[in-house]
Amino acid sequence: MVIQSEQLFWIQAVAYALLLAAGYVSFVYLLRAIPRRRRRWPALVMQRWARGYEVPPRILKLFGIAAGSRPVEEKGRLLAEGGIRIDPLRYELLRRFLLLAGGGSVAVGYAAAAKSWTLPWIEPVHVMAAGAVIGVFAGFDRTLLVSLGKYRSNKIMREIYVLSNQLLYYTGSKMSLHAKLNRCLPFCRAIRSDLQLLLNEWYEDADQAIKRFKKRLGTEEAHSFAETINSLRLNEHGSYYSLLHERIQDYKEKLELAKESRKETTSYLLFVLAGIPILNTFRIFVYPWVQEGQKLFDALN
């Protein structure tokens, strides 16, 4: 089978795009492997760029972004669910800039490849592959944010489930709620910093501290857990621990549903992957015989 030059060009473009994505993932995991203090670098970036200054309205208008519009509010909700603490206006501005940059890179790379231009230090196909990857990530960011939000929500729900069980263990104890939550702190990982901040702000204003804790996490399970904590703070009666037990049962049912959903997704992916060798076998061994048979029937006719 002879591969045409255009097919070879697109195969190379896809290969370079996959190579770029693999390199990006490897670079991210390499940075994560470097020993560092937790949340130091993200805090510097967020403070200096995401919250450091206000974007001029004329720039937002130039990119077609309206403050307070429904898409911006929806994007802010998705960012909060995914744990990305960045202003939605700045995020949308960056997304549209990357979308334009990706489209421009693809156009420049395609024009250079079609007219045999020589770009300095880089091949045109590399420019096209990089622009295509950037454009795909910027164009389908909502899908990525929804997936990230679901993953983070399930992760937080598992920790809240463990935390609620541990709180239920202290039913009838004479310790204060602050002391009980402090005892539960070692059982947390994903929400450890947020829970530690809640405990630090507790005696300043417990009600506002719980509200800020609920806002920082931003998930439905965190809201219900925060309301339960607030009820226990106001009155540590046995009936409120019964409410906590009901919440635990709800978390358990949701975790089981999430587990079944992951099993179904994994089964579907395995089914698709199992079909690839079958299709490849048909393409290599069976399809040429079908072509020869078609040629024979055409010759007989």
Side-chain angles (χ1 to χ4, degrees):
M1 182 182 295
V2 180
I3 300 178
Q4 299 179 359
S5 59
E6 185 177 357
Q7 293 177 346
L8 181 61
F9 169 77
W10 286 111
I11 290 173
Q12 289 179 348
V14 172
Y16 282 124
L18 293 175
L19 183 62
L20 181 63
Y24 172 75
V25 173
S26 302
F27 179 71
V28 169
Y29 277 94
L30 179 62
L31 288 180
R32 289 186 177 183
I34 298 175
R36 62 183 176 87
R37 191 169 60 188
R38 183 175 176 83
R39 302 188 65 175
R40 183 176 181 181
W41 296 347
L44 290 175
V45 174
M46 293 304 173
Q47 289 176 3
R48 293 183 181 180
W49 187 82
R51 307 187 197 128
Y53 61 91
E54 184 178 356
V55 181
R58 62 179 181 275
I59 296 180
L60 295 177
K61 187 177 181 180
L62 178 64
F63 281 86
I65 303 172
S69 61
R70 185 176 179 181
V72 173
E73 292 179 354
E74 177 71 14
K75 198 60 67 68
R77 182 184 63 82
L78 292 175
L79 289 171
E81 290 180 355
I84 304 175
R85 296 172 186 174
I86 182 174
D87 183 56
L89 290 175
R90 295 180 178 86
Y91 173 82
E92 188 64 20
L93 178 64
L94 178 62
R95 186 189 74 86
R96 298 195 181 191
F97 175 77
L98 291 177
L99 196 60
L100 291 175
S105 300
V106 171
V108 170
Y110 181 78
K115 298 184 179 181
S116 301
W117 294 345
T118 55
L119 297 178
W121 305 301
I122 191 170
E123 293 291 333
V125 66
H126 297 173
V127 177
M128 285 188 61
V133 171
I134 293 173
V136 167
F137 276 100
F140 295 92
D141 68 316
R142 191 180 186 281
T143 304
L144 296 175
L145 288 176
V146 169
S147 301
L148 179 62
K150 289 182 179 179
Y151 171 75
R152 180 173 176 267
S153 177
N154 291 332
K155 192 175 181 180
I156 289 175
M157 184 166 52
R158 285 195 296 269
E159 293 208 353
I160 288 179
Y161 174 74
V162 175
L163 188 60
S164 301
N165 275 308
Q166 192 65 24
L167 274 179
L168 195 63
Y169 176 77
Y170 292 117
T171 304
S173 175
K174 295 182 179 180
M175 289 189 301
S176 64
L177 182 58
H178 182 273
K180 294 177 182 178
L181 290 173
N182 200 14
R183 291 285 186 89
C184 298
L185 190 61
F187 297 94
C188 300
R189 185 176 179 182
I191 64 173
R192 186 187 183 93
S193 58
D194 297 301
L195 185 60
Q196 182 66 65
L197 189 58
L198 168 66
L199 295 175
N200 294 341
E201 298 173 347
W202 185 272
Y203 289 112
E204 181 180 353
D205 190 343
D207 185 53
Q208 293 299 323
I210 292 174
K211 288 181 180 179
R212 286 192 289 268
F213 172 78
K214 179 171 59 175
K215 185 178 180 181
R216 283 194 300 270
L217 293 182
T219 62
E220 181 182 353
E221 293 76 18
H223 284 208
S224 63
F225 179 70
E227 294 297 331
T228 305
I229 289 178
N230 197 31
S231 301
L232 291 172
R233 179 184 67 87
L234 295 175
N235 187 6
E236 289 198 39
H237 194 267
S239 59
Y240 291 100
Y241 283 95
S242 300
L243 175 63
L244 180 62
H245 183 71
E246 293 178 3
R247 299 281 191 187
I248 290 173
Q249 295 299 322
D250 293 338
Y251 298 149
K252 186 176 180 181
E253 292 177 0
K254 289 182 179 180
L255 287 173
E256 289 178 355
L257 289 175
K259 187 176 180 180
E260 292 296 328
S261 178
R262 286 196 300 270
K263 286 183 178 179
E264 291 179 0
T265 305
T266 306
S267 300
Y268 178 75
L269 290 176
L270 291 176
F271 176 76
V272 173
L273 292 175
I276 293 177
I278 298 174
L279 292 176
N280 195 38
T281 303
F282 177 80
R283 183 180 66 85
I284 295 175
F285 296 103
V286 180
Y287 186 67
W289 289 96
V290 174
Q291 282 187 321
E292 293 298 330
Q294 186 66 36
K295 290 179 182 178
L296 179 60
F297 281 114
D298 291 339
L300 291 176
N301 291 331

